[in-house]
Every structure is written in structure tokens, then in C-alpha cells.
Amino acid sequence: MTSAVAPTPPEQRKTFQDEPIPKVARDTLNWFSIALAMSNVLMQLSNIKVGYGVAESKVESGRLDKHPLKRGRTTLTFLAIASNGTAAEREYLRKEVNRAHRQVHSAPGAPVKYNAFSPDLQLWVAACLYKGAVDLAEALDLPLSRQDREDFYHHSARFATTLQVPQEMWPADREAFEKYWRSEVEKLELDDYAREFLHDLASMAFLPTPLRQTVGPVIFFLSAGFLPQEFRDLLGMKWNRPRQFLLDRVIRTAAAVNRVMPAVVREFPFNFYLWDFRRRMRKGLPVV
């Protein structure tokens, strides 16, 4: 006798693309984006409400400073699915993110009020992800026509809508986005607690001593290097011409390597996390 097979839930029926993906969206999910990862985290957390939400998060399994490998997996998975996943996969991921975010909110009477379900805070996070992707495309000298930029901008609304941000909150065009971005950057402020927390992240202070001493300076250098100057000033990170010269050489080398890499290598680890997400979704395993 064979056992009955349960029907596949609707959100799991589509496993491949149901919408066209702009080429630049695929090209910016690549190996070198890892070099910009911490600078993007610092940008997101420079909004003090987002920073406190991460620093005080009760979801210990999702904390970068407590479980860096797991947090890295969930972040890269989010990027892979938000950008290259189907509508059904993004909806599944949104529900998983919501499950974790329900626990992230400030305590009564806290000096900094935050809630991970705030569309305004999630819009800021999504905006940082978009800016980071554009910075990566420019660093690697990816060919981008005006239409490429327009298509990628509208596609990047997925970073917001895969969270809790309504489509209509994503700025209508790139000009509107720049106005939003400048306005939000001007509002940024940090207290000593948040600034120290971000410095500890950038220097990988949470790693064991041998790793911290070897990896920490490299991550701090890349983090400071890829941050816009306004954020360096906010965080008190020093930068100078010799460091910029070194960073420029790193970028030129990375761009040259990126051009000759086979696609399957160039797109790692995002292609792996896309496969892993689909495996987890099919088997009903947690993805966050």
C-alpha cells in the first residue's frame, strides 16, 4: 500500500523564474559583493533605529555578532531570492522574515524607539541594498546603459516589497530616489553606544582572537573604503589618499578577474543560496 502524498502548497508550486530578471541584477549578485557587505550593513545600521534594533535584537540566532555564519547565510539568501526569486518564493521568504521580525521591537520606555515591522525602517534598509548594488556595478565597471539603470532601479523595489514595504512607498523613479536618499542621509545621527557597536562589527570584534587579528583589519579597510564620506564622518572612520589608492588597485584587479570568470564561479555564493533556499522551501525547513 502506498501512502497518500500531501498536495504541494500553492506558495511552493513555482520553483523557477516567473518574471524577467535584468542582466545587471544577476551580474551584481556575485563573489565581489562580499567585499562590500559590511559597508552596506554599516549604512543600514547608521539609521539609529535600525542600529538599536540589531544591537538589542532578542533573536540571538540571527545576530551577526553571535552567529556570523548563519546571519551571513540568511542575508545572502534574502538578496538572492529578493532579486532572482519568483513571486511565490519571495512571499515564502517574506513570511519567514516576518516570523523573526515579530520579536524585534524596543522595550517600553526605551530611549530609542524601533520596530522591525516599520515600513519606513525597512524602506531604508532596501534603499541601502539598492545603493550597494549600484556601487558594486560601478566598481566592477559593468556595462550599464540608461535603460539598464532604469530597469534595475524598478526591479530593486523587490528589496523593499520582499519585506513589509508597499510597492507605492518605493520612490517612483531614480530622481525621486535620490531626493529620498539625500533627505534620509541628512537625518542620520548616532550616539556613542550605536557608534561603538558599529565599530565592533566593522573590526569583527566578535570573532576569536586569531581571526579578529587577521580578518578584522581587512574588513575594516574595505568597510571604510566603500562607505560614502558622509557615513565615514558619522562613524568617525578616517580615510586618506594612500588608502584610496590601495582600494582603487583592489577594485581594478577585481574588475579584471570578474570579466574572465565563468558565470557559475562569478555568481557564487548566491547561486548556491538560491538552490539551498529552494531545497529548504520544498522540504519545509526554516530559511531564516
Side-chain angles (χ1 to χ4, degrees):
M1 178 182 293
T2 58
S3 59
V5 177
T8 303
E11 68 270 18
Q12 296 186 26
R13 289 173 188 160
K14 291 185 179 180
T15 56
F16 300 103
Q17 301 304 335
D18 54 2
E19 298 173 13
I21 307 296
K23 184 175 183 299
V24 66
R26 297 184 184 278
D27 290 345
T28 51
L29 287 184
N30 69 24
W31 64 282
F32 193 63
S33 63
I34 306 302
L36 285 75
M38 183 58 76
S39 65
N40 202 266
V41 169
L42 297 179
M43 287 169 62
Q44 296 171 34
L45 273 56
S46 290
N47 179 312
I48 195 168
K49 294 182 179 180
V50 179
Y52 263 75
V54 172
E56 299 180 342
S57 174
K58 301 177 182 67
V59 188
E60 183 169 312
S61 63
R63 289 179 59 118
L64 177 61
D65 55 342
K66 302 291 186 181
H67 301 279
L69 293 179
K70 181 179 183 298
R71 180 61 188 184
R73 174 180 68 78
T74 56
T75 298
L76 298 182
T77 296
F78 176 87
L79 292 172
I81 301 305
S83 181
N84 290 0
T86 66
E89 289 165 349
R90 295 195 303 276
E91 178 62 23
Y92 188 92
L93 178 59
R94 183 186 298 111
K95 291 177 180 177
E96 287 286 281
V97 172
N98 289 350
R99 180 171 53 81
H101 278 181
R102 286 190 184 96
Q103 305 174 61
V104 182
H105 52 81
S106 54
V112 176
K113 303 289 186 182
Y114 59 85
N115 189 315
F117 270 86
S118 165
D120 290 332
L121 298 185
Q122 292 185 356
L123 178 60
W124 168 252
V125 169
C128 290
L129 294 175
Y130 165 70
K131 287 287 287 187
V134 172
D135 289 346
L136 175 66
E138 293 176 347
L140 294 179
D141 198 24
L142 300 179
L144 289 174
S145 67
R146 181 180 180 84
Q147 190 60 50
D148 288 334
R149 293 178 182 272
E150 292 293 336
D151 291 345
F152 181 57
Y153 174 71
H154 291 292
H155 178 79
S156 295
R158 289 178 169 206
F159 292 138
T161 58
T162 305
L163 296 170
Q164 284 290 324
V165 182
Q167 177 70 42
E168 58 270 20
M169 282 188 67
W170 187 250
D173 51 37
R174 289 192 295 144
E175 182 179 358
F177 179 88
E178 286 304 317
K179 291 179 180 178
Y180 161 81
W181 182 259
R182 289 194 298 271
S183 173
E184 292 301 305
V185 170
E186 288 174 0
K187 299 174 188 175
L188 296 178
E189 58 179 2
L190 293 174
D191 58 18
D192 291 340
Y193 171 78
R195 189 174 292 107
E196 182 178 356
F197 177 72
L198 297 188
H199 271 265
D200 285 348
L201 286 183
S203 59
M204 311 298 279
F206 50 87
L207 292 179
T209 300
L211 275 177
R212 182 177 68 248
Q213 292 176 341
T214 54
V215 177
V218 175
I219 299 300
F220 195 91
F221 166 75
L222 292 172
S223 300
F226 284 113
L227 278 175
Q229 187 59 48
E230 309 97 299
F231 290 85
R232 292 186 197 134
D233 293 341
L234 185 67
L235 272 68
M237 287 182 161
K238 296 180 180 179
W239 196 247
N240 54 34
R241 292 181 64 182
R243 291 174 182 170
Q244 186 64 49
F245 176 79
L246 177 57
L247 181 66
D248 289 341
R249 295 196 65 175
V250 170
I251 291 173
R252 285 196 299 271
T253 301
V257 170
N258 190 70
R259 284 191 287 270
V260 299
M261 272 185 169
V264 68
V265 179
R266 185 172 62 247
E267 295 170 6
F268 185 83
F270 295 97
N271 48 10
F272 169 77
Y273 285 121
L274 187 62
W275 169 85
D276 182 61
F277 173 88
R278 287 171 173 165
R279 178 184 66 85
R280 289 171 178 270
M281 178 176 169
R282 187 170 60 250
K283 294 185 175 183
L285 300 174
V287 296
V288 174

